[in-house]
Amino acid sequence: RRLFQLVKLWIYRLLQPSSILFLITSLAIFAQLTYAAMLYYGQEALQEGLLYHFSRVDHRHNYSMFWYWIYLAKGRVAAMAGGDMAQSSLSTLGRVLLLPQIVLLLYSSLGIAPYDLTFCLFIQTFFFVALNKVITAQYFTWYLVLLPLCAERVQWRTMGMARALGLFGLSVVMWLGSAFCLEMKGMAVHLQVWMASVGFFVANVNLLRVILGNYQGCYHHHHPPSKGTRTSTSLGSKSDKQKVQ
C-alpha cells in the first residue's frame, strides 16, 4: 500500500507544469549539446562521452572490490584467441555490474526522495560511488559536494558515527598502503589489495548505514505529504522558527 502511495505521489508530481517544463528543458539542452559535440567530433563524442561509461572496465587505481575480477577477466581475454567475442563478453560484464546501482536508485527515488530530495541525492550518489565498478580518488567529491545540503539533518556527534568514520578512514589507509606496494614497489600483493578493496566497500556500507540511522529529517515520518501539504526541509517549519526566535 505504501509503495502504491509513493508511486501515486511521484506521478502527481511529474505531471505538474513545473516538472514537465524542467524535463523538457533538461532533455532539450542535453540533446543539443550532444548533437553539437557529434557534429564536431563525430561518433567518437557519443562513444567516449556517454556509451563508454556503461561498459567501462578498468582495474588500475581502482578502489572498487570489482577491480580484481576485472583484472583476472582481462587476463583471460588476452589469452583467448577470439578477441572480439571475448572483449564483447567483458563489456557485457561491465553492464551487468550496473544492475545493483539501478535497483538501489529506483528504490531510494521512491522511498526517500518524496520526503527529502537533497538527502536522497546525497545518499544516491554515495552508494552509486560505493557500488561502482570503477572508483578513483576524485569520485569522493561527487557526494561530498552534496553533503552541505543535508548535513544539518544528520547527527554526527555520536560514538557510532565516530566508529564508522574511523573505520572508513582506516580502510582508505589500508588500501593506499597495499596499492602503493603493488603499483610503486612492484610487489605481488594483488590479493591483499583486493582484500583492502573489500574492506573499503564494507566501511562504505557501514558508514551509509550509520548516516541513515542518524538521520533526523522528515523522512522518519514515513508518510508522503498530501497535495496541499508543504514538506519541511532544512529551513524547518514555522513553529520551529518561532522556537528559535
Side-chain angles (χ1 to χ4, degrees), residues 34-232:
T34 303
Y35 180 71
M38 291 185 64
L39 285 179
Y40 192 80
Y41 294 103
Q43 185 67 22
E44 183 181 3
L46 183 63
Q47 178 62 34
E48 299 296 331
L50 296 174
L51 301 181
Y52 166 73
H53 296 280
F54 288 101
S55 59
R56 179 187 179 188
V57 282
D58 186 5
H59 65 277
R60 296 184 181 276
H61 321 296
N62 189 354
Y63 285 80
S64 173
M65 64 177 180
F66 298 124
W67 81 266
Y68 195 41
W69 304 339
I70 295 172
Y71 172 74
L72 296 176
K74 282 194 170 184
R76 297 190 186 97
V77 167
M80 292 176 64
D84 293 340
M85 182 178 297
Q87 188 63 40
S88 176
S89 300
L90 192 60
S91 298
T92 302
L93 172 64
R95 297 186 183 95
V96 170
L97 293 177
L98 291 173
L99 292 178
Q101 294 168 308
I102 295 174
V103 171
L104 287 176
L105 282 172
L106 292 175
Y107 180 81
S108 57
S109 295
L110 288 174
I112 301 179
Y115 307 107
D116 194 331
L117 180 59
T118 55
F119 182 69
C120 180
L121 291 174
F122 168 75
I123 292 298
Q124 286 182 335
T125 310
F126 190 104
F127 69 64
F128 182 87
V129 172
L131 289 171
N132 206 29
K133 58 184 179 291
V134 177
I135 307 174
T136 54
Q138 70 269 22
Y139 283 32
F140 301 152
T141 62
W142 291 6
Y143 57 80
L144 287 177
V145 297
L146 297 171
L147 183 57
L149 300 177
C150 57
E152 63 181 10
R153 299 191 292 282
V154 179
Q155 287 186 337
W156 298 98
R157 297 181 180 180
T158 64
M159 288 300 299
M161 182 65 73
R163 287 192 293 265
L165 291 173
L167 180 62
F168 177 81
L170 179 62
S171 69
V172 173
V173 172
M174 294 295 293
W175 188 93
L176 290 174
S178 56
F180 176 82
C181 293
L182 173 64
E183 297 197 14
M184 306 303 294
K185 297 296 184 179
M187 300 170 63
V189 290
H190 296 77
L191 185 59
Q192 288 84 344
V193 177
W194 177 72
M195 292 176 64
S197 298
V198 174
F200 176 74
F201 173 77
V202 172
N204 273 272
V205 174
N206 180 64
L207 179 57
L208 181 61
R209 175 188 65 83
V210 175
I211 290 175
L212 288 171
N214 288 9
Y215 175 72
Q216 299 296 315
C218 52
Y219 171 58
H220 279 318
H221 295 310
H222 297 293
H223 294 290
S226 60
K227 295 182 180 181
T229 304
R230 296 179 60 185
T231 57
S232 61

Side-chain angles (χ1 to χ4, degrees), residues 13-31:
R13 289 183 172 180
L14 289 175
L15 294 180
Q16 296 299 306
S18 57
S19 300
I20 297 175
L21 179 61
F22 177 78
L23 176 64
I24 295 175
T25 304
S26 300
L27 290 177
I29 294 175
F30 177 79

